[in-house]
């Protein structure tokens, strides 16, 4: 069975990096956030995979957690900007309608189902402002082709 980690991360990067926008500017997607990253940005927080194999196919149940980060000066900003970015991410990963195709992992894997497992919002006060975060955990059931 093939490890899907790199294939899935690459699909996410190609689909989201600077495709998601805020105020008409592309939003970067990182595996590791550089110290000079410009807000807002998205980063991959974690990735899990559990084998789901039978005698007929090789499958995996995969989760990937993305975090959207936005920084504001103290007493300014809020959740709506993060929600706007998260909405774009969800539309790209899952589609906006039930007839849309979710993110593709072809030619190696078929993405059988994609769902948003969990999403959370939190904030952190820092010396020069407030950083707002929105986590989005997506689950994919994939079959090796």
């Amino acid at each position: 069975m093939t490890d899907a980690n790199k294939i899935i991360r690459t699909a996410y990067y190609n689909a989201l990096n600077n495709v998601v926008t805020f105020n008409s500017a592309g939003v970067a997607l990182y595996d590791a956030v550089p110290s000079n990253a410009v807000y807002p940005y998205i980063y991959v927080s974690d990735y899990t995979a559990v084998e789901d194999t039978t005698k007929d196919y090789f499958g995996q149940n995969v989760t990937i957690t993305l975090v959207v980060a936005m920084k504001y000066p103290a007493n300014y900003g809020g959740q709506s900007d993060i929600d706007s970015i998260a909405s774009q991410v969800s539309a790209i990963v899952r589609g906006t309608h039930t007839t849309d195709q979710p993110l593709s992992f072809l030619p190696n894997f078929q993405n059988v189902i994609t769902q948003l497992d969990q999403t959370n919002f939190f904030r952190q006060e820092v010396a020069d402002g407030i950083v707002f975060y929105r986590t989005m955990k997506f689950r994919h059931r994939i079959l090796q082709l």
Side-chain angles (χ1 to χ4, degrees):
M1 181 166 65
T2 303
D3 182 5
N5 184 348
K6 185 175 180 184
I7 293 164
I8 290 175
R9 285 177 178 265
T10 300
Y12 267 83
Y13 183 83
N14 291 339
L16 298 174
N17 187 49
N18 291 312
V19 174
V20 173
T21 61
F22 180 72
N23 289 339
S24 301
V27 177
L29 174 68
Y30 299 108
D31 265 342
V33 181
S35 60
N36 63 344
V38 176
Y39 289 94
Y41 57 78
I42 305 165
Y43 68 92
V44 178
S45 171
D46 65 81
Y47 174 93
T48 66
V50 177
E51 186 173 347
D52 183 16
T53 298
T54 71
K55 65 179 183 157
D56 299 317
Y57 63 82
F58 287 123
Q60 295 179 43
N61 208 338
V62 174
T63 66
I64 189 166
T65 303
L66 303 178
V67 180
V68 180
M70 174 73 93
K71 184 177 179 185
Y72 295 102
N75 301 319
Y76 178 79
Q79 188 171 346
S80 64
D81 291 338
I82 291 285
D83 290 343
S84 171
I85 295 169
S87 178
Q88 292 176 65
V89 170
S90 184
I92 292 169
V93 173
R94 298 176 62 218
T96 55
H97 305 289
T98 56
T99 56
D100 291 346
Q101 292 298 311
L103 194 60
S104 175
F105 308 129
L106 294 173
N108 304 84
F109 292 92
Q110 176 187 1
N111 188 359
V112 177
I113 191 166
T114 297
Q115 64 189 50
L116 179 62
D117 245 16
Q118 181 180 12
T119 185
N120 296 307
F121 173 82
F122 61 98
R123 65 186 212 159
Q124 177 184 18
E125 293 186 21
V126 293
D128 58 345
I130 301 172
V131 181
F132 292 92
Y133 298 95
R134 169 93 179 259
T135 64
M136 304 175 73
K137 182 177 190 175
F138 293 98
R139 180 175 303 278
H140 303 282
R141 182 161 185 274
I142 60 173
L143 299 178
Q144 185 172 329
L145 299 176

